[in-house]
Amino acid sequence: MKPVIFIDGREGTTGLQIYDRLTPRQDIELLLIDEEKRKDPAERKKCLNAADLVFLCLPDEAAREAVAMIDNPNTRVIDASTAHRTAPGWDYGFPELSPHHRARIACSKRVANPGCHASGFIASVYPLVQLGLIPPDHPLCAYSLTGYSGGGKKLIAEYQDPHRDPRHASARIYGTNLRHKHLPEMVHVCGLAAPPVFHPILGDYIQGMATTVLLRNDTLPGRPTAQEIHQALSSYYAGQTFVSVAPFGGDEPVIYSDTLVGTNQLRLIVCGHEAQTTVTALFDNLGKGASGAAVQNMNLMLGFAETAGLE
């Protein structure tokens, strides 16, 4: 029998993207809730417990409520919200981080899908911490340029409104309280002693993300050069399908943040010299940063080819 999949929150940006990726597939069955009943708790609970696997594309509190509704021990969950990314009993859905992560996802009943900004930061920092090139207590700084689709329907409407604030044509620095909601998972997953100083930046384009970590090499153990950091990351991710490392200095002298839109690819670009290094994770904030990653995790959990529906 085909596994039954239910998307709770299919009307949101991530839910719609997951739905669009799964609709053409013949190896699963999508369970659809009646439109007039999608906010009916009894009907939602029925769907949540009838599915083999559920995607939660909901605000944090609604995601917690949905998990509490599940009493079928066989229902597996992928939560795309922030609610469970550091929660005990949940596995972090970034299989390329290590063989352990991939194995845990494959057998997990509860997987927390990574946040978009966090995906870029963690892809760069986690291996360097594991390899001893960045100490867990090292003070880190990062910024992340994103398209406005990551803000959901409301922000998309705001940016596409013909009568919008004319300042939207310029880049917009936000999260100025330095307490962005992705910081806890950055710290938790990478095993850091403290969160990085982190600024997200919103651009006037719909999709694409470039998350950059800045390093002073003379403050790192052994003072590795940028070329040595590049080699370390290249070796770490060798053989991965969806995470790759560009040639040192990048594929071209500039980085366009929408380069990988429409893919599930994440590409690391290492630049710098003996004293300074930047590592930029380039990816689609709605692909490897959201719906693509969720489908990849589903493939692992249900025993499909990891690339199914993501080629």
Side-chain angles (χ1 to χ4, degrees), residues 153-221:
K153 286 185 173 181
K154 183 177 179 181
L155 191 64
I156 292 171
E158 180 184 328
Y159 264 74
Q160 294 182 346
D161 185 342
H163 305 294
R164 70 181 191 173
D165 187 329
R167 294 178 299 172
H168 285 0
S170 66
R172 170 175 163 183
I173 299 172
Y174 67 103
T176 53
N177 64 359
L178 301 182
R179 297 185 185 276
H180 192 275
K181 67 178 182 178
H182 291 177
L183 289 174
E185 68 185 283
M186 294 177 185
V187 171
H188 178 76
V189 176
C190 293
L192 301 178
V197 177
F198 173 70
H199 253 318
I201 305 168
L202 189 64
D204 185 19
Y205 64 102
I206 190 164
Q207 233 166 301
M209 182 166 278
T211 306
T212 299
V213 178
L214 303 95
L215 300 169
R216 270 188 51 190
N217 302 45
D218 61 355
T219 65
L220 299 174

Side-chain angles (χ1 to χ4, degrees), residues 1-309:
M1 292 179 61
K2 297 178 182 179
V4 176
I5 311 298
F6 176 57
I7 306 170
D8 194 7
R10 183 166 63 90
E11 302 73 23
T13 307
T14 300
L16 283 171
Q17 290 261 329
I18 293 173
Y19 177 77
D20 288 345
R21 290 175 184 270
L22 296 184
T23 300
R25 291 182 59 163
Q26 302 299 310
D27 52 0
I28 61 168
E29 178 184 339
L30 280 173
L31 176 61
L32 302 178
I33 192 169
D34 291 340
E35 181 62 25
E36 65 273 13
K37 294 183 178 180
R38 65 184 180 87
K39 294 187 178 181
D40 180 342
E43 190 66 17
R44 283 181 61 222
K45 181 172 182 176
K46 178 181 174 182
C47 292
L48 288 165
N49 286 282
D52 294 297
L53 186 141
V54 171
F55 291 100
L56 301 180
C57 304
L58 304 164
D60 289 3
E61 190 53 42
R64 294 186 186 97
E65 291 172 358
V67 173
M69 291 181 184
I70 298 172
D71 48 34
N72 181 349
N74 297 316
T75 297
R76 305 172 82 176
V77 178
I78 298 173
D79 183 8
S81 81
T82 312
H84 297 104
R85 291 175 187 159
T86 63
W90 287 74
D91 294 299
Y92 195 70
F94 201 136
E96 291 86 0
L97 292 182
S98 72
H100 175 74
H101 283 83
R102 181 173 271 110
R104 290 290 305 173
I105 293 164
C107 66
S108 182
K109 290 287 183 72
R110 299 287 185 268
V111 170
N113 212 53
C116 53
H117 296 293
S119 293
F121 179 87
I122 290 167
S124 300
V125 172
Y126 180 89
L128 298 178
V129 172
Q130 293 298 306
L131 295 170
L133 293 173
I134 294 179
D137 61 352
H138 188 75
L140 289 166
C141 295
Y143 66 90
S144 186
L145 178 60
T146 182
Y148 55 75
S149 58
K153 286 185 173 181
K154 183 177 179 181
L155 191 64
I156 292 171
E158 180 184 328
Y159 264 74
Q160 294 182 346
D161 185 342
H163 305 294
R164 70 181 191 173
D165 187 329
R167 294 178 299 172
H168 285 0
S170 66
R172 170 175 163 183
I173 299 172
Y174 67 103
T176 53
N177 64 359
L178 301 182
R179 297 185 185 276
H180 192 275
K181 67 178 182 178
H182 291 177
L183 289 174
E185 68 185 283
M186 294 177 185
V187 171
H188 178 76
V189 176
C190 293
L192 301 178
V197 177
F198 173 70
H199 253 318
I201 305 168
L202 189 64
D204 185 19
Y205 64 102
I206 190 164
Q207 233 166 301
M209 182 166 278
T211 306
T212 299
V213 178
L214 303 95
L215 300 169
R216 270 188 51 190
N217 302 45
D218 61 355
T219 65
L220 299 174
R223 300 188 175 189
T225 64
Q227 288 90 340
E228 288 169 338
I229 290 172
H230 172 264
Q231 183 54 54
L233 289 170
S234 297
S235 298
Y236 194 90
Y237 286 117
Q240 295 292 340
T241 300
F242 293 121
V243 177
S244 61
V245 180
F248 181 73
D251 297 298
E252 55 182 324
V254 295
I255 300 172
Y256 290 98
S257 55
D258 65 351
T259 300
L260 295 177
V261 166
T263 77
N264 193 51
Q265 296 292 324
L266 185 151
R267 191 153 175 82
L268 294 178
I269 301 167
V270 182
C271 303
H273 44 71
E274 293 78 10
Q276 297 175 337
T277 300
T278 60
V279 185
T280 298
L282 185 64
F283 57 108
D284 184 347
N285 58 292
L286 296 183
K288 188 60 172 166
S291 63
V295 172
Q296 183 183 351
N297 287 323
M298 181 202 79
N299 288 338
L300 283 168
M301 294 168 75
L302 297 180
F304 296 125
E306 193 170 335
T307 57

